[in-house]
């Protein structure tokens, strides 16, 4: 199984309403993209200096399944929103 982890650092202008809409959009992806095997996400609760604002952990059967997810039109729409909201993104993909 391939794990895909994303950390997001939001721009100062991003509001809680923006984040709530992102959560709604992300929540709809598993029903639209059959390659997703696991999909959890949420806001950081500690808010320390080293914290990122938001994280997503997803899982796919293999690299080919994750590649199909990456180019899926539904994912592309949400990805554009994420990029517009973030001043920093960090991604790690690993087998586990």
């Amino acid at each position: 199984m391939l794990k895909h982890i994303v950390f997001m650092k939001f721009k100062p202008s991003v509001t809680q309403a923006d984040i709530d809409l992102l959560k709604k959009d992300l929540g709809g992806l598993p029903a639209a993209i059959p390659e997703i095997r696991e999909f959890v996400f949420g806001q950081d609760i500690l808010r320390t200096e080293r914290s990122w604002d938001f994280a997503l952990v997803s899982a796919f059967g293999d690299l080919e399944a994750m590649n199909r997810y990456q180019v899926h039109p539904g994912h592309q729409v949400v990805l554009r929103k994420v990029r517009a909201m973030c001043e920093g993104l960090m991604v790690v993909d690993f087998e586990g």
Side-chain angles (χ1 to χ4, degrees):
M1 181 143 355
L2 185 67
K3 298 283 188 171
H4 175 66
I5 301 173
V6 180
F7 295 100
M8 302 173 204
K9 182 71 76 173
F10 295 129
K11 294 176 182 175
S13 60
V14 171
T15 66
Q16 186 60 49
D18 297 327
I19 297 167
D20 291 342
L21 285 173
L22 175 62
K23 289 178 183 178
K24 182 180 178 214
D25 291 343
L26 288 169
L29 290 180
I33 305 174
E35 286 80 6
I36 296 172
R37 292 204 177 164
E38 179 183 330
F39 205 75
V40 293
F41 54 85
Q43 285 180 260
D44 177 66
I45 58 173
L46 296 181
R47 298 182 182 179
T48 65
E49 282 185 24
R50 65 185 193 139
S51 294
W52 286 69
D53 298 320
F54 198 93
L56 164 73
V57 179
S58 53
F60 304 90
D62 54 31
L63 182 57
E64 291 79 19
M66 190 181 81
N67 287 337
R68 288 191 301 275
Y69 158 79
Q70 292 286 347
V71 298
H72 188 280
H75 174 256
Q76 289 295 309
V77 168
V78 176
L79 182 58
R80 282 191 292 277
K81 291 179 183 181
V82 166
R83 287 181 175 155
M85 293 172 68
C86 290
E87 62 183 18
L89 285 169
M90 186 181 308
V91 178
V92 177
D93 299 297
F94 65 94
E95 291 186 8

